[in-house]
Amino acid sequence: MLRFKIFRIIHLVMMGIITIPISIFMAAGAIGENFGDDYFVDPGFLVFILIWLVGAVLSFTKKGAKFGLIISALPPILFLGTITYTIISGFFI
């Protein structure tokens, strides 16, 4: 049981390290120009941080531990899949 708690903490830290910077980068407009002087040009990307937080909270409950780990892994999987798709499709254009 102790090994699962350690795995859970390591998993949440690693997923947070991936999710939070990428979400803030994308919400701030990524590489595009910001003409409105707003810090978050597209705040819809901050929803991914909320999804990660919901998964983190659920992973510390008894009934939702495994489900919470899956939910907290969804944003990094989406980001890595999008990056991979972009790189692969760039080679074929």
Side-chain angles (χ1 to χ4, degrees), residues 24-44 46:
I24 291 175
F25 174 71
M26 295 301 289
I31 301 174
E33 296 180 15
N34 185 359
F35 295 113
D37 289 335
D38 299 327
Y39 186 70
F40 292 125
V41 178
D42 190 8
L46 297 175

Side-chain angles (χ1 to χ4, degrees), residues 2-13:
L2 182 64
R3 291 188 337 182
F4 184 67
K5 288 182 182 181
I6 293 171
F7 170 75
R8 186 179 345 183
I9 292 170
I10 291 172
H11 171 81
L12 291 175
V13 168

Side-chain angles (χ1 to χ4, degrees), residues 4 7-8 11-12 55 59 64-74:
F4 184 67
F7 170 75
R8 186 179 345 183
H11 171 81
L12 291 175
S59 67
K66 294 178 184 173
F67 188 63
L69 291 177
I70 292 170
I71 289 176
S72 67
L74 290 178

Side-chain angles (χ1 to χ4, degrees), residues 44-62:
F45 283 102
L46 297 175
V47 172
F48 294 115
I49 296 175
L50 181 66
I51 293 170
W52 174 76
L53 283 173
V54 167
V57 169
L58 281 177
S59 67
F60 285 105
T61 61
K62 288 192 178 208

Side-chain angles (χ1 to χ4, degrees), residues 12-27:
L12 291 175
V13 168
M14 288 176 52
M15 296 299 112
I17 288 173
I18 295 171
T19 301
I20 293 171
I22 293 177
S23 294
I24 291 175
F25 174 71
M26 295 301 289

